[in-house]
Amino acid sequence: MADTTLMSIPGQVDPVPVARDITPREDGRVDLIGLPKKDITALFEGAGLDKRQAKLRAKQVFHWLYHRGVTDFEAMTDIAKTMRPWLAERFVIGRPDVVEAQHSTDGTRKWLLKTSDGHEFEMVFIPDADRGTLCVSSQVGCTLNCRFCHTGTMRLVRNLTPGEIVGQVMLARDSLGEWPKGRMDDLGDEGEAEYNADGRLLTNIVMMGMGEPLYNFDNVRDALQLVMDGDGLALSKRRITLSTSGVVPAMARCGEEIGVNLAVSLHAVSKEVRDEIVPINKKYGLEELLQACADYPGASNARRITFEYVMLKDKNDSDDDARELVRLLKAYKLPAKVNLIPFNPWPGAVYECSTPERIKRFSDIVFEGGISAPVRTPRGRDIDAACGQLKTTAEKKSRAQRDREEAEAAVQAS
């Protein structure tokens, strides 16, 4: 496997794909999270089970991993007791390590997570009255350098593996207590329908965390296929949205091979402004991007493409900008909705947020043009969890500071 402790920042060229599907562990065991059933079967065969036994055990283990959410082989009650230590010696059921968990006053939660090789990244859960959305990261850092985005000021360290991506969803379910309850002893295929999961808090996933998902295409695809697998996490593709800044060559593949909803970080309607705030526009321009959106497989009025548009004072928020946005979306006959995002400030940012009055006027013009343009309510600003604010807490806090905070919290709890 390639060494990916550090990837150079590629600028306005595509990053070189990194051939890593599993992060090696110091103890030599293999983490099964992130692996499809066929790969688990192959691992079991390679470890000494015959073909029939490997297939059976892989089916059982897959169900316990992805449908039941167990983290210990001893909990797999339909696998022989003598078999469980054999599994534990060779394999592990991983989760990202939680370095820090924060709760916003509005209910938003943010986790600072660490991979088994010591890299830190973040995920965010946003609860609403009718849904709960998990914002999932695809890379450690980012290479796109969008000027309004705090994450874009980080260097790109490496791609996350399928296990590190799907592990975020599993960790969120752990934290929310959302795995099915009850025993599964001796249940066959017929019996699996006899238990029920509790009502879900986590209903939707957005690939809008740290990183550009389409620059880590294979790993994102493989992780989301596990999330959508009916025998796995079983979340409908209609409840999953992938957000891209405009990696045009991978957009059609996304529709064909993943099939989830598409969101596009548009943020400007002219070449000059988009070149400045979304530099990938210099590589894949507006016209090329919008044509790729028009060609996106599965896009329809029932499955509209979402265009994200951050509101920057005196930069992209004029009446003329709003009218041009309507014109462009109609020119390409796009089944579209626009999310207007009030800019979330961060230290060192060169932009200011548009005024509420300006944002409302912009929204009204787009609505009058026949395109839905709701204003997104900022969430989690107080814990730097809002759109564009994700940047690993590790860069802001020393280890000693975090240790002090943990010690103080422990004293208060006792």
Side-chain angles (χ1 to χ4, degrees):
M1 294 182 183
D3 179 11
T4 57
T5 52
L6 181 65
M7 294 170 60
S8 60
I9 295 176
Q12 303 314 314
V13 297
D14 294 332
V16 177
V18 175
R20 171 186 279 190
D21 53 6
I22 299 175
T23 299
R25 293 175 54 88
E26 289 184 4
D27 62 11
R29 293 185 295 170
V30 176
D31 189 350
L32 296 180
I33 295 299
L35 299 181
K37 207 176 299 179
K38 63 179 178 58
D39 288 359
I40 296 175
T41 301
L43 278 174
F44 288 179
E45 276 193 70
L49 297 184
D50 64 49
K51 192 167 187 176
R52 181 177 172 277
Q53 184 83 334
K55 186 174 181 180
L56 170 64
R57 295 305 180 201
K59 180 180 179 182
Q60 292 173 310
V61 168
F62 186 91
H63 180 84
W64 283 106
L65 295 182
Y66 296 114
H67 199 72
R68 301 289 300 220
V70 304
T71 56
D72 188 340
F73 291 108
E74 279 299 318
M76 299 181 180
T77 53
D78 61 344
I79 293 178
K81 286 186 178 180
T82 54
M83 185 73 188
R84 297 175 210 166
W86 183 91
L87 289 167
E89 288 170 11
R90 294 162 176 80
F91 307 103
V92 66
I93 304 167
R95 294 287 193 274
D97 292 329
V98 178
V99 178
E100 185 173 30
Q102 295 176 277
H103 283 222
S104 168
T105 54
D106 64 21
T108 299
R109 304 187 193 187
K110 182 173 77 168
W111 290 267
L112 174 63
L113 307 176
K114 182 185 286 186
T115 64
S116 60
D117 60 347
H119 297 303
E120 294 181 335
F121 60 101
E122 293 175 339
M123 74 172 184
V124 175
F125 177 70
I126 305 167
D128 282 304
D130 60 344
R131 69 176 62 193
T133 302
L134 186 70
C135 185
V136 175
S137 291
S138 57
Q139 296 179 311
V140 180
C142 189
T143 186
L144 292 176
N145 304 315
C146 298
R147 292 196 71 202
F148 63 88
C149 179
H150 202 194
T151 315
T153 65
M154 298 177 64
R155 79 181 194 276
L156 176 65
V157 178
R158 71 165 172 86
N159 289 332
L160 293 176
T161 67
E164 291 158 352
I165 296 169
V166 76
Q168 294 171 65
V169 184
M170 302 180 82
L171 182 63
R173 277 201 175 173
D174 293 346
S175 299
L176 297 169
E178 294 206 330
W179 295 106
K181 308 296 191 294
R183 293 178 63 82
M184 289 291 293
D185 306 57
D186 303 320
L187 289 183
D189 292 341
E190 300 79 16
E192 292 178 4
E194 294 178 9
Y195 69 90
N196 294 306
D198 297 335
R200 291 275 186 255
L201 291 173
L202 198 171
T203 62
N204 293 66
I205 290 172
V206 291
M207 296 300 305
M208 293 183 185
M210 296 171 65
E212 165 56 63
L214 295 187
Y215 275 158
N216 188 18
F217 183 91
D218 289 352
N219 289 352
V220 168
R221 175 199 60 207
D222 294 350
L224 291 181
Q225 285 175 348
L226 289 170
V227 172
M228 296 183 289
D229 191 318
D231 293 328
L233 291 165
L235 194 67
S236 167
K237 65 182 180 181
R238 295 183 181 275
R239 291 188 172 273
I240 302 172
T241 299
L242 183 147
S243 177
T244 178
S245 291
V247 184
V248 168
M251 288 171 62
R253 282 188 69 199
C254 178
E256 292 160 1
E257 298 181 31
I258 308 177
V260 295
N261 301 315
L262 182 69
V264 174
S265 295
L266 191 64
H267 305 309
V269 293
S270 71
K271 172 176 169 51
E272 178 185 19
V273 175
R274 196 163 192 268
D275 279 356
E276 175 189 334
I277 64 177
V278 188
I280 195 176
N281 196 68
K282 297 173 185 176
K283 184 172 178 65
Y284 307 114
L286 268 171
E287 293 79 9
E288 193 177 356
L289 172 59
L290 293 173
Q291 187 59 55
C293 292
D295 296 337
Y296 188 73
S300 66
N301 286 328
R303 293 188 68 195
R304 292 175 293 172
I305 293 173
T306 300
F307 289 91
E308 308 284 355
Y309 198 98
V310 66
M311 300 300 296
L312 303 174
K313 184 178 180 181
D314 299 328
K315 178 58 65 174
N316 63 354
D317 63 350
S318 69
D319 287 4
D320 287 343
D321 288 323
R323 295 187 188 98
E324 178 64 6
L325 177 58
V326 171
R327 188 195 71 77
L328 282 171
L329 297 182
K330 288 191 170 182
Y332 286 87
K333 300 179 180 177
L334 287 164
K337 65 177 178 179
V338 178
N339 269 346
L340 299 180
I341 307 167
F343 173 63
N344 294 305
W346 43 270
V350 297
Y351 302 112
E352 296 179 43
C353 183
S354 306
T355 65
E357 296 76 18
R358 180 94 299 270
I359 295 173
K360 184 179 185 307
R361 174 61 182 155
F362 194 102
S363 175
D364 288 345
I365 291 172
V366 179
F367 266 116
E368 288 162 8
I371 297 168
S372 176
V375 179
R376 185 190 293 176
T377 303
R379 300 291 299 273
R381 273 183 168 177
D382 56 322
I383 57 171
D384 289 340
C387 181
Q389 286 188 312
L390 292 190
K391 184 175 182 181
T392 51
T393 309
E395 294 197 1
K396 303 175 212 169
K397 292 186 180 180
S398 68
R399 179 70 259 177
Q401 182 182 351
R402 288 206 297 263
D403 288 343
R404 283 196 301 273
E405 289 175 357
E406 290 171 9
E408 289 168 3
V411 169
Q412 292 173 359
S414 62

